[in-house]
Each structure stands twice: as structure tokens, then as C-alpha cells.
Amino acid sequence: AQKITQTQPGMFVQEKEAVTLDCTYDTSDQSYGLFWYKQPSSGEMIFLIYQGSYDEQNATEGRYSLNFQKARKSANLVISASQLGDSAMYFCAMREFTGANNLVFGTGTRLTVIP
Amino acid sequence: KAGVTQTPRYLIKTRGQQVTLSCSPISGHRSVSWYQQTPGQGLQFLFEYFSETQRNKGNFPGRFSGRQFSNSRSEMNVSTLELGDSALYLCASSLGTAEKLFFGSGTQLSVL
């Protein structure tokens, strides 16, 4: 069964610094996708970045990059130059494309950016 | 391009009532899935629809049901509401069944 583990319940980062949010996953599927979402206090789940299991390059989207280490089954999110507006819950999720196909989420990491 | 739209944003019901939540996907997206988010259980998958057919269902009782219309809009229904159904219900859409998912703002349901 697919599983996502986020071991950091909370993280603090100084404004303008970089921060890494950890995510490890478990799957027996060869074809899957890894996602990161941001959820501010308003509740909306905002898509940040996606990495396919067959993508050879690490995904990047602006200040977000995904450090994909397939052999270690990790998909850490790196946020560069943190901003106050980055304070939110961050969820790592996985979708097995040949299995159940639904998103399975981790428990999330609450990031607080300090001025 | 408009995002995923969920209505209503907030809903208050009493035990035993039923409720219908609505989701309009991003234009052109044919897959719609629903998730329940609670502080205790986190984010859990409810069901997924593609081209009006339910493709996948999570581990929820039969009181939770859904449907998808020909224009890809989707509704989910919860009958005989229980206190434990209080949650944020999130709808997500994607182009196909193996694509990125984009979420709406959710419907916050409170059952009193």
C-alpha cells in the first residue's frame, strides 16, 4: 500500500532564508507522481510542484524545487528565499498511476516564516 | 482560466439531515475527485469520477455518495449526517486520471 511520511510537524525559517521540508514515500508501483501542496489558513489546497517517477530532472517552479531521490524514496521540497506569505501547512502527496490512482497525503508540515 | 469552484463555502447542518456539495472543475478537466479533511484523520480520499463514471472509491460508508454530470460538474451527497462528518470537503480536478490535481477552496461542513 502506498504511504507518505512527513516527519516534521512544524518548521521555522527566517525570512529570505531557504528551507527544506522532508517527505518520504513507499510504493511498489513503478509509475507514480509526487506532489506538494500548500494550504494556508483559508483552507484552499494550492498546487506547488509535481515530479513524475520517470522524470530524470528535479522539478522546479519558481522558488520551489523538489529534491527527488528515487532510490531513497524521498521527495523533499526546497523553498528558497522564504517570504512571510509562505507561512502555511505543506502537504506531500503521491498518486500511483497504475494502482488505486487516488492521492495519498502525508500528515503535513506547518511552516512559519519569521521576520 | 477559472480554477476549481466549490459551493457553498460554509454549511451548518444538524444530525440526521442530508447535504449536497457542488464542484465545478477547471474547464476541460474531465476527472473530479473528492477528499475529506479532519484534524484527526487528515486528508482522506472519498471518490473519483471520470466521464460521469465512478472510477475509484475510498473507505467511507454508503451515506457518502457522488455523481458527475455530462459537463464534468460533480456533486457529493452525505445522508443522515453525523457529528463526525464535520470536516473540510475538498474537490480536485485534473485533465485525466493520471494528471496533476488542482483543488478548490473547499466546503467547510459543520454538523451540530
Side-chain angles (χ1 to χ4, degrees), chain A residues 72-94:
Chain A
R72 294 186 177 185
K73 291 190 175 178
S74 75
N76 298 340
L77 176 71
V78 180
I79 305 174
S80 63
S82 297
Q83 302 171 356
L84 295 178
D86 293 335
S87 293
M89 281 292 287
Y90 288 80
F91 290 95
C92 179
M94 177 173 65

Side-chain angles (χ1 to χ4, degrees), chain A residues 14-28:
Chain A
Q14 205 76 36
E15 193 178 6
K16 299 180 185 176
E17 296 293 312
V19 63
T20 298
L21 306 184
D22 294 341
C23 172
T24 58
Y25 62 93
D26 188 23
T27 179
S28 55

Side-chain angles (χ1 to χ4, degrees), chain A residues 10-62:
Chain A
M11 289 281 286
F12 292 87
V13 64
Q14 205 76 36
E15 193 178 6
K16 299 180 185 176
E17 296 293 312
V19 63
T20 298
L21 306 184
D22 294 341
C23 172
T24 58
Y25 62 93
D26 188 23
T27 179
S28 55
D29 210 341
Q30 296 300 308
S31 179
Y32 54 88
L34 295 156
F35 302 75
W36 277 92
Y37 290 91
K38 171 185 177 182
Q39 188 176 44
S41 55
S42 61
E44 181 181 6
M45 196 72 75
I46 301 168
F47 168 79
L48 294 178
I49 197 166
Y50 167 81
Q51 179 87 39
S53 58
Y54 295 117
D55 295 340
E56 295 184 354
Q57 302 281 344
N58 285 344
T60 59
E61 293 278 356

